[in-house]
Amino acid sequence: MELIQLSMPLLLSGLLLTLKISIFAVVIGFFIGLGLAIARISGSFMLAAFSQGYSSVFRGTPLMVQLFLFYYGLGQLSFIRDSALAWWVIGDGVRCAILVLALNSAAYTSEILRGGFMSVPKGALEAARACGMSKWLQFRRIEFPIAMRQALPAYGNEVILTLKGSSLASTIAVLEITGHAKRLMSQTFAVIEVFAMAGAIYLFINVVMIVLLRLTERSLMRHMAA
Amino acid sequence: MGIPYVGSAFWELWEAGWPAAILRGASVTLAIGLCSICLGIVIGTIGGLVKWARLFPFTLAIDGYTTLIRGVPELLVIYLLFFSSAEFVSQVTAAFGYGGADDSAYGFVVGTVAIGVISGAYSVEVVRGALVAVPRGHIEAGRALGLSRGRIFRRIIAPQMLRLAVPGMNNIWQSTMKDTALISVVGLQELMRISSIGAGSTRQPLLFYAVAAVVYLGITIVSQIVFGVIERILNKSNRAG
């Protein structure tokens, strides 16, 4: 049991970093994704094309390639190294991982939200115009809530995928759960035990996420309860 | 200017043989992808059939397997398989008096098994969904005609299941392709690893990773086209004439 005493504190300290990376990435990614979804359904061809291109690129390439591209590739450019803000983000492993994970999540989120927006019944929009609502009010009161309710299950899935994506930060020397697990595996050779512990932590976070999501779904669907 | 002189550097790289290395890496990536999706299809078919047929004790095992693999990051699964068997392989080779293990074949096998196991977990759900989606009316018609259970399965359920599973398998293929990049951490010389080596030795990470991204994007786009064609062929008889 000394193995558990040795590794659990390390894995739990990794847990804090994993949560930090995931939560920031999800929140930032949501807002970027929302912007991209709005751009996609707007009338403008340029915006829609940009959003679609962004989505294709970030969903068509592995997260690891994107991570290395930003961390190593952008770090090569001297104007990035000289700029204080850019280097603050790209130079640090944790912040770079948050940025890349957010951009990646935004691509999937924009597709999910686009599906949500397209499922808003036209009748509701026409009724809103008939009531004299401005476009912004219509968006805020009608389109957005209906779209979010529709998109919530798929978005919950995407949150869990982002959580799993945070493990890739271990490849750019961030000591979150997977980073600690890899070190422990190679140091102690107790591979299956370390995997079991790290896996249990991830599954636990998943369960918490799913419960939170069910609660959110239930509170948003309260008006539908019989 | 911080932007690297891609123009003149490009010919140096061409002479050093990097484009050939990238192509080699891409072919290894495709090979791993194909082998592991086959493994995933086998696991998924067996698991999906078992879950659909509701064979009680086995469904629990399969549910445990899918929940575990879907909840744990792929990287952790790869590390599990890599570290637990690296030890085994080096013990075996040490016992026989050889120095090191055969790196390339070994990394390929570990990578294929890892990604195959991961894609299998998702495939189980796709296959099960496809089996459930076969219209009940067809099965009832088969029974009304007096066909045996085996025949109903072979002639009615299985062909339709294959057609219904294609969109789901398209998604799984896309994520399998992207997961192959993770095997670079165990040192296998696939596209991501070769890009890393190139980036490190020529000090041009931007160029190499951008090229890797373009190649992956190319594979993705070609896969989408191929799956579109497959879906159109399989659904030809379903469209109203």
Side-chain angles (χ1 to χ4, degrees):
Chain A
M1 292 305 109
E2 310 100 44
L3 177 67
I4 298 189
Q5 280 171 339
L6 163 70
S7 28
M8 265 323 230
L10 287 173
L11 290 175
L12 289 174
S13 73
L15 172 64
L16 284 173
L17 217 45
T18 291
L19 286 176
K20 177 179 172 188
I21 297 177
S22 308
I23 294 178
F24 274 106
V26 163
V27 170
I28 298 176
F30 177 76
F31 286 108
I32 302 180
L34 184 59
L36 285 167
I38 295 177
R40 187 78 174 270
I41 60 173
S42 78
S44 155
F45 175 73
M46 294 303 303
L47 285 177
F50 170 73
S51 175
Q52 181 152 11
Y54 178 95
S55 193
S56 300
V57 167
F58 273 88
R59 291 190 315 155
T61 51
L63 181 55
M64 196 157 172
V65 174
Q66 295 162 16
L67 200 54
F68 278 34
L69 197 54
F70 274 75
Y71 189 64
Y72 294 114
L74 285 187
Q76 179 191 344
L77 301 173
S78 63
F79 70 83
I80 299 267
R81 283 198 303 270
D82 293 337
S83 144
L85 175 64
W87 188 247
W88 180 77
V89 174
I90 305 263
D92 181 44
V94 175
R95 284 180 225 120
C96 188
I98 293 177
L99 172 70
V100 176
L101 213 50
L103 290 175
N104 189 58
S105 171
Y108 289 93
T109 304
S110 79
E111 289 296 318
I112 294 171
L113 289 179
R114 185 177 75 98
F117 282 127
M118 293 181 67
S119 76
V120 173
K122 290 250 144 121
L125 296 179
E126 285 174 13
R129 290 339 278 297
C131 285
M133 288 191 185
S134 69
K135 283 211 94 171
W136 164 243
L137 194 62
Q138 171 187 310
F139 178 78
R140 190 166 65 88
R141 297 299 301 278
I142 313 271
E143 278 187 273
F144 183 66
I146 296 183
M148 273 316 294
R149 228 170 274 140
Q150 178 68 21
L152 205 51
Y155 186 64
N157 209 28
E158 171 55 29
V159 169
I160 294 187
L161 287 177
T162 304
L163 177 72
K164 298 210 300 177
S166 71
S167 73
L168 259 73
S170 64
T171 56
I172 50 175
V174 171
L175 281 178
E176 38 73 68
I177 300 181
T178 308
H180 278 300
K182 176 186 178 190
R183 273 185 53 210
L184 285 168
M185 279 186 195
S186 52
Q187 282 173 351
T188 68
F189 284 107
V191 181
I192 300 191
E193 291 88 338
V194 172
F195 174 79
M197 284 187 279
I201 298 181
Y202 275 112
L203 287 175
F204 176 71
I205 310 177
N206 276 350
V207 166
V208 169
M209 283 277 124
I210 293 179
V211 166
L212 280 175
L213 246 113
R214 292 282 154 78
L215 287 176
T216 319
E217 267 182 65
R218 195 120 32 98
S219 80
L220 284 180
M221 300 280 235
R222 248 189 310 235
H223 68 286
M224 293 222 192
Chain B
M1 272 269 103
I3 302 172
Y5 287 116
V6 180
S8 63
F10 182 70
W11 293 112
E12 295 166 13
L13 295 174
W14 185 276
E15 311 245 311
W18 282 111
I22 301 259
L23 282 176
R24 228 185 321 125
S27 59
V28 173
T29 293
L30 279 169
I32 294 195
L34 288 168
C35 292
S36 46
I37 197 107
C38 288
L39 177 61
I41 288 176
V42 167
I43 298 179
T45 309
I46 298 176
L49 280 171
V50 167
K51 280 198 73 173
W52 175 71
R54 291 198 208 110
L55 302 176
F56 178 61
F58 298 110
T59 49
L60 276 185
I62 293 180
D63 278 336
Y65 158 67
T66 49
T67 309
L68 181 67
I69 301 285
R70 288 161 74 142
V72 167
E74 296 85 5
L75 207 50
L76 210 53
V77 174
I78 291 179
Y79 283 142
L80 168 74
L81 288 169
F82 176 63
F83 284 116
S84 54
S85 34
E87 175 186 318
F88 174 79
V89 170
S90 58
Q91 279 175 358
V92 169
T93 53
F96 280 99
Y98 293 110
D102 181 343
D103 280 290
S104 59
Y106 169 69
F108 189 92
V109 169
V110 166
T112 305
V113 169
I115 310 246
V117 161
I118 293 171
S119 75
Y122 291 98
S123 303
V124 165
E125 204 41 47
V126 167
V127 168
R128 193 189 69 87
L131 284 168
V132 163
V134 173
R136 302 218 62 188
H138 294 198
I139 305 177
E140 286 173 12
R143 249 183 269 150
L145 284 172
L147 297 176
S148 69
R149 287 196 66 183
R151 223 173 239 172
I152 291 181
F153 185 80
R154 250 185 319 121
R155 294 301 218 97
I156 301 180
I157 300 181
Q160 301 212 50
M161 180 270 276
L162 289 173
R163 175 176 61 86
L164 290 164
V166 170
M169 289 316 292
N170 183 9
N171 279 334
I172 296 184
W173 166 253
Q174 300 287 352
S175 63
T176 298
M177 261 294 117
K178 290 184 271 179
D179 287 344
T180 57
L182 297 175
I183 313 183
S184 62
V185 303
V186 307
L188 176 68
Q189 304 274 24
E190 43 73 61
L191 178 58
M192 183 69 196
R193 181 92 187 116
I194 293 193
S195 310
S196 285
I197 296 176
S201 71
T202 62
R203 302 271 191 273
Q204 303 244 36
L206 193 59
L207 176 65
F208 274 89
Y209 293 128
V211 167
V214 166
V215 174
Y216 277 112
L217 207 49
I219 297 179
T220 301
I221 293 176
V222 169
S223 309
Q224 289 287 63
I225 297 176
V226 169
F227 267 96
V229 167
I230 294 179
E231 272 182 57
R232 204 151 4 111
I233 293 179
L234 288 180
N235 279 316
K236 231 191 306 208
S237 56
N238 258 31
R239 272 197 249 129

